[in-house]
Amino acid sequence: MILKALYDYYNRCGDLAPTGMEYKEISFLVVIDEKGNFKRLEQRGDDKNGQKFLVMKGVRSGKTPKPYLFWDNVEYVFDYCKEQADVQEEADEAAKKKLEEEIAKTHAKNVALIEKIKEVANLFPEEKELRAVCDFYDKGGLDAVKEDSLWPNVEKRSTVNVSFLIEGHTKIVAENPCLRSLAESSNQGKKHKQSVCLITGEECDPVATTTPTAIAGGNPSGSRLVAFQTNKGYDSYGKSQCLNAPMSKDAEAAFTTALNRMLAKGSHNKFKLGNRTFVFWASSDDEASRKMEDGLFDLLGFTDERDDDPNAKIEEVRKVFKAISSGSLKTNLDDRFYILGLAPNVARIAVVYWSETSLKEFATNIERHFSDMEIVDNRKEPKPYMGLRNMLSAVTLSGSNVTPNLPEAVAKSIFLGIPYPYTLFSSCIRRIRAESGDIRITRAAIMKAYLNRLNDNNQKKITIMLDKQNLNPGYLCGRLFAVLEGLQFAANGQDTIRASYMNAASSTPSAVFPTILKLSNSHYSKLAKDKKGLAIFFDNQKKEIMAMIQDFPDTLELGDQGRFFLGYYHQKNEKANKETD
């Protein structure tokens, strides 16, 4: 199912590299004439990223040099060993010997590249630009390259890719059509007995191995999504390698190209949580599908904030999911949405998560997340707080040291519409206590969302703003504490009871409230001398809440502690109170 969905995504896009080809960033071009004479170096792209060109795909593994066709990195193309610049003349013998070994390895790579270039040029003798590259090396063009004014830039970026350009041409040599035909006619390994492709269902000559894919935290040269270790117990019925899961060359190229596209740098079809990388895509390419892909990328915390309204992007995202969920933005019943979670491994990429839902069902789950996280916001400058990264930052110290597997668990709750993880809620309570009752909006939203998804029929649902009908003891105690704090601040210009008593009041109310109620009488007397009306305002609020509290609980369990903090937050952000402030 995963491979078929990736294969369909390849066909959906229409602009991905054809079989045997790939788009690669190339940072420098060696400009030569048709006789192979060196003209100049040209830099493409900027100092960080090169320009993308469609070239013949290259796969490297093992220690033997395996050059690519008419493009490769600086070591292969220029016979340049980056370690040369790091070793000083006065270095010891061991360092010099190691340098000699590295220089020899680099030279072997360059020799292998030249031999490969000449081998292919001989296959297409009518292609003058291929022969020109051979002549460039035969004429000692490397010496001229190192005299070019751009050579110092090459030395600074010795891992980037290089190719060739004939002066006056618009396409690089690596894009020559004959190389594409070579890629299409080539086959991986020897011919095998015809099998049925597990992706397309058609008869095929199956590939022996699949193309490696680079994933964050994994092998730099890439790992394979589908792989079988030979003679390691993974073979069956006498078959080896990918003959255990037969697929045609075109199908294999399609799904690996699609996966590489979504994992590429700058892709808006991926996000990273811990050491997991998630990719997501829709089966269709219609308006609703494209907007959903963009919206999910923004929701997960990769939003470009706007100076005028940093919350605007999240609001736009919510409108998209709400439109799909309600049906105002039309979708096809057959449209699906996929999420694939991957983790790096030694030889093969591990699949840690897979989700397939209808487009409308997925949009409904995301809209429910927005609804559950919605809470009163009286900030002068609203900022996004419903995104995944905002949520994780709110429950950790300075946004770091996230509990292992918590990001993945929260993401699953959002995607599947299931209860949020207990760890998220408990971490939120812990951070509030550690920061002396700092109940910022994201923390309040997390507590509300968690408690409302618990399916606890004995408890009243938490509303967006102050709910005077909520008689939960924890919620009422939180409201009362907020009133007493406001009274103290109005009387003395400080709110020391929050730092001194809030943590205890939220867990053992009966042991704390008699003390702070007694203090409130002093605060009332002081405030009444100068601002009688304001003193009466707070006193009326206190009496109103006290009338609903029969007895202060001896203890509050963790869920009611969350309700305490929500009652406090709601009371502090109630409209009448904000106007009074």
Side-chain angles (χ1 to χ4, degrees), residues 26-204:
I26 293 178
S27 299
F28 294 97
L29 295 179
V30 181
V31 182
I32 57 178
D33 62 21
E34 292 185 347
K35 300 295 184 181
N37 298 308
F38 174 72
K39 293 299 181 180
R40 63 188 176 277
L41 278 176
E42 285 186 3
Q43 183 171 343
R44 294 299 176 94
D46 53 37
D47 290 337
K48 291 184 178 180
N49 305 308
Q51 181 179 341
K52 286 192 174 183
F53 294 91
L54 182 62
V55 299
M56 189 169 176
K57 183 183 293 185
V59 178
R60 259 201 288 261
S61 61
K63 297 181 179 180
T64 305
K66 293 182 180 178
Y68 303 146
L69 275 185
F70 294 91
W71 70 275
D72 216 309
N73 62 39
V74 171
E75 284 187 336
Y76 275 88
V77 176
F78 291 141
D79 194 7
Y80 175 72
C81 177
K82 59 180 180 296
E83 282 78 7
Q84 285 179 268
D86 301 329
V87 177
Q88 307 296 325
E89 291 184 5
E90 61 272 15
D92 57 31
E93 290 301 318
K96 290 182 178 179
K97 184 177 180 180
K98 185 176 180 180
L99 174 61
E100 290 176 359
E101 292 174 353
E102 293 299 325
I103 290 175
K105 289 180 182 178
T106 302
H107 183 65
K109 293 176 181 178
N110 180 249
V111 170
L113 174 76
I114 296 172
E115 290 177 351
K116 189 70 174 178
I117 286 174
K118 290 182 177 180
E119 177 187 339
V120 174
N122 290 334
L123 293 176
F124 303 97
E126 70 284 359
E127 296 294 335
K128 294 182 180 180
E129 64 177 14
L130 304 188
R131 177 53 55 187
V133 178
C134 299
D135 294 339
F136 163 79
Y137 282 108
D138 289 340
K139 293 180 178 181
L142 289 180
D143 293 332
V145 167
K146 294 172 183 178
E147 297 297 324
D148 191 271
S149 60
L150 278 181
W151 179 251
N153 292 9
V154 176
E155 291 181 308
K156 293 176 184 176
R157 305 172 62 198
S158 58
T159 59
V160 299
N161 293 322
V162 184
S163 188
F164 300 87
L165 176 68
I166 305 300
E167 191 173 36
H169 289 203
T170 57
K171 290 192 174 183
I172 64 174
V173 177
E175 292 181 306
N176 189 296
C178 71
L179 300 181
R180 182 176 298 188
S181 65
L182 187 65
E184 292 172 351
S185 62
S186 65
N187 207 332
Q188 297 184 10
K190 60 184 180 180
K191 293 284 183 179
H192 300 284
K193 184 179 179 181
Q194 289 287 310
S195 301
V196 176
C197 176
L198 61 83
I199 296 176
T200 64
E202 299 174 354
E203 284 198 357
C204 68

Side-chain angles (χ1 to χ4, degrees), residues 436-495:
S436 302
D438 181 11
I439 311 174
R440 61 190 68 168
I441 186 171
T442 310
R443 290 172 179 168
I446 288 171
M447 291 186 292
K448 170 182 174 286
Y450 172 83
L451 292 170
N452 282 351
R453 283 199 186 185
L454 276 183
N455 297 322
D456 187 349
N457 296 324
N458 295 325
Q459 297 293 341
K460 194 174 189 296
K461 293 289 186 181
I462 307 295
T463 56
I464 295 174
M465 56 187 64
L466 181 64
D467 180 9
K468 293 187 178 183
Q469 306 304 314
N470 193 328
L471 302 181
N472 176 273
Y475 189 80
L476 291 173
C477 287
R479 288 185 59 196
L480 180 58
F481 193 93
V483 171
L484 299 181
E485 180 190 317
L487 176 58
Q488 184 197 30
F489 188 82
N492 300 333
Q494 55 184 354
D495 53 0

Side-chain angles (χ1 to χ4, degrees), residues 247-288:
M247 62 190 84
S248 69
K249 184 178 180 183
D250 287 343
E252 183 277 335
F255 91 76
T256 54
T257 300
L259 185 58
N260 281 321
R261 162 74 167 265
M262 288 188 281
L263 288 170
K265 182 170 57 178
S267 168
H268 279 211
N269 286 79
K270 70 173 181 177
F271 61 93
K272 194 169 182 294
L273 300 176
N275 70 334
R276 267 75 159 142
T277 300
F278 291 79
V279 293
F280 54 89
W281 68 99
S283 62
S284 175
D285 193 33
D286 58 18
E287 181 186 9

Side-chain angles (χ1 to χ4, degrees), residues 317-386:
V317 171
R318 181 172 188 178
K319 289 177 182 178
V320 169
F321 286 106
K322 190 171 184 178
I324 296 173
S325 176
S326 65
S328 59
L329 185 56
K330 299 298 182 183
T331 61
N332 192 305
L333 292 177
D334 296 329
D335 290 346
R336 314 296 290 172
F337 197 82
Y338 308 103
I339 302 177
L340 174 63
L342 305 170
N345 211 331
V346 178
R348 186 175 66 81
I349 298 173
V351 175
V352 295
Y353 181 75
W354 171 247
S355 171
E356 177 192 349
T357 58
S358 70
L359 210 63
K360 189 169 184 178
E361 180 184 353
F362 186 78
T364 299
N365 290 337
I366 300 297
E367 167 56 22
R368 184 184 174 190
H369 166 73
F370 279 109
S371 178
D372 288 342
M373 287 286 290
E374 190 173 4
I375 199 163
V376 59
D377 185 0
N378 288 322
R379 296 174 298 173
K380 292 181 180 179
E381 297 181 2
K383 295 181 180 179
Y385 68 89
M386 296 179 178

Side-chain angles (χ1 to χ4, degrees), residues 6 13 19 62 96 118 128-129 151 182 203 211 213 215-216 230 234 285 367 394 406 410 440 465 520 537 542:
L6 288 169
C13 290
T19 303
K96 290 182 178 179
K118 290 182 177 180
K128 294 182 180 180
E129 64 177 14
W151 179 251
L182 187 65
E203 284 198 357
T211 305
T213 297
I215 183 173
T230 305
Y234 298 99
D285 193 33
E367 167 56 22
L406 178 59
V410 177
R440 61 190 68 168
M465 56 187 64
S520 72
F537 171 79
K542 182 175 76 170

